[in-house]
Amino acid sequence: EPGAARPRDGVDGAALKVFTDADWVKNELRHAAFALVDDVAAADIVFVHSGGGQYASKITKEQKVSWYAYEAALIRKDHLASTLRVAGLEDLAPRPTFDLETELDAALGAMAAEYTPLPVPAEVPVNPFYMLKPYDLGRSIGHCCTNSKHCVLAYADAGGYVLQRYVERPHALPAALGGVSGRKYDVRVVALLRSAAPLELYAHDHVYVRAANEAHDLAKLDDVAVSLTAMHLVGAEARHPKMADFVAAFDAAHPDRPFSDVLADCRDTLRRVFAAAADQHAGFRDASPTARAAYGCDFLLDEDLKPYLLEITFAPAPLWSSADMPEVVPGVADDIFACLFLGAGDRVTRC
């Protein structure tokens, strides 16, 4: 049953001992059912970054862990693109997406099919832009936005990049929120996976909207330095809206498509993507029943309010628990751990 206790869920008795190297867990976890310990061997739960990393050899089969085997199917951008393509779900992300190590010819062919030789006549739309993203880095590290084939070839030579069509007409932050008009933004949704097969996936109800610090301007995107500055997501209160303010402004501007409908589409996207990963990859599907994991899932809305999945990251810090952010929401770590390890459903929604 959805939300029912899975094997070894700590629903009563002594507190579950948690070993972690994540600062947000150390600082925020206050739930009485959990107690932090400093020894991996003494822990009931090992909640660490990077799929276990240095701790993997110390884990026993009885311990609950915060990662799934072969979750690279989701968190590596090249593998995520392949997962979506095989499942026929490419429309859930900006398309097309190509792995420059294995699909360079196809990527160049796609660019050539839409390319207009310079100088571009005034009546012809600007050549499409593409995002170059490293396989496994976040926070815009190593990203580049370009419509230059020479730039694409240089990144392909460096290795480890995907090429993805840039969303050229993103939805702008509602004007009622003030600040510079025309700023693009993304929406971070924290997904909580209790089981890959059968799929038991939840999303935390409180999402976070992160806004760019400059107005979106295609004319600037051929300047790498400017484009990265324009896309950088910063933590200043004046630039990031509080969630309640954002939802009120969004709903006022779009009464026929309230933000709750957008979030429902995001959850549906996550359900389909995680189900595709489980269907295609036995290493992910047949993970230990003691595995639980949290993922940061980033969405961008286009001008038609369609959400596109940009990327999935592993074991994300819940940004809204940080004092550096404009809105502090207490208890997020407790919600995450209670859902993953107790089967509780406070402030989470089934995907």
Side-chain angles (χ1 to χ4, degrees), residues 53-306:
Q54 61 181 306
Y55 309 105
S57 63
K58 303 176 183 179
I59 305 302
T60 67
K61 64 181 181 180
E62 291 79 19
Q63 289 174 310
K64 300 172 191 172
V65 297
S66 61
W67 62 89
Y68 278 72
Y70 199 60
E71 59 191 356
L74 296 167
I75 64 176
R76 271 187 49 138
K77 298 178 183 67
D78 53 332
H79 293 342
L80 175 60
S82 175
T83 297
L84 295 178
R85 184 179 302 138
V86 171
L89 300 177
E90 291 179 279
D91 286 343
L92 300 181
R95 61 177 303 187
T97 301
F98 300 100
D99 182 348
L100 290 186
E101 288 195 359
T102 61
E103 300 172 314
L104 178 59
D105 288 350
L108 293 175
M111 292 184 70
E114 300 179 311
Y115 191 80
T116 302
L118 297 177
V120 179
E123 67 275 10
V124 176
V126 68
N127 289 319
F129 281 90
Y130 295 85
M131 287 293 296
L132 292 160
K133 301 179 179 180
Y135 289 162
D136 52 5
L137 292 177
R139 295 177 296 168
S140 296
I141 297 172
H143 288 45
C144 176
C145 188
T146 185
N147 60 5
S148 166
K149 290 178 285 187
H150 301 291
C151 183
V152 171
L153 289 170
Y155 274 78
D157 189 56
Y161 276 82
V162 297
L163 176 82
Q164 186 175 73
R165 179 66 183 268
Y166 183 70
V167 179
E168 296 176 346
R169 295 177 176 82
H171 184 248
L173 207 64
L177 295 173
V180 176
S181 62
R183 289 183 295 147
K184 64 186 291 187
Y185 63 92
D186 73 356
V187 179
R188 162 64 61 90
V189 180
V190 174
L192 306 172
L193 181 64
R194 283 176 45 83
S195 170
L199 184 66
E200 187 178 352
L201 180 70
Y202 299 83
H204 198 281
D205 292 338
H206 194 97
V207 304
Y208 201 84
V209 172
R210 304 176 299 180
N213 55 5
E214 295 182 11
H216 175 66
D217 186 353
L218 285 175
K220 293 182 177 180
L221 294 185
D222 57 353
D223 183 330
V224 173
V226 173
S227 68
L228 292 183
T229 300
M231 291 186 291
H232 183 55
L233 300 173
V234 295
E237 182 172 356
R239 299 187 176 104
H240 284 319
K242 292 184 178 181
M243 196 60 205
D245 295 340
F246 171 82
V247 171
F250 187 99
D251 289 354
H254 307 286
D256 294 334
R257 182 162 167 76
F259 192 66
S260 59
D261 287 356
V262 173
L263 282 185
D265 287 348
C266 292
R267 289 191 293 267
D268 180 68
T269 292
L270 294 177
R271 177 185 57 78
R272 298 169 70 187
V273 170
F274 276 76
D279 180 63
Q280 295 174 33
H281 305 290
F284 182 74
R285 177 178 65 249
D286 300 332
S288 166
T290 61
R292 312 283 193 275
Y295 302 90
C297 308
D298 297 334
F299 290 87
L300 181 73
L301 275 62
D302 68 9
E303 62 182 357
D304 296 322
L305 304 182
K306 172 181 169 60

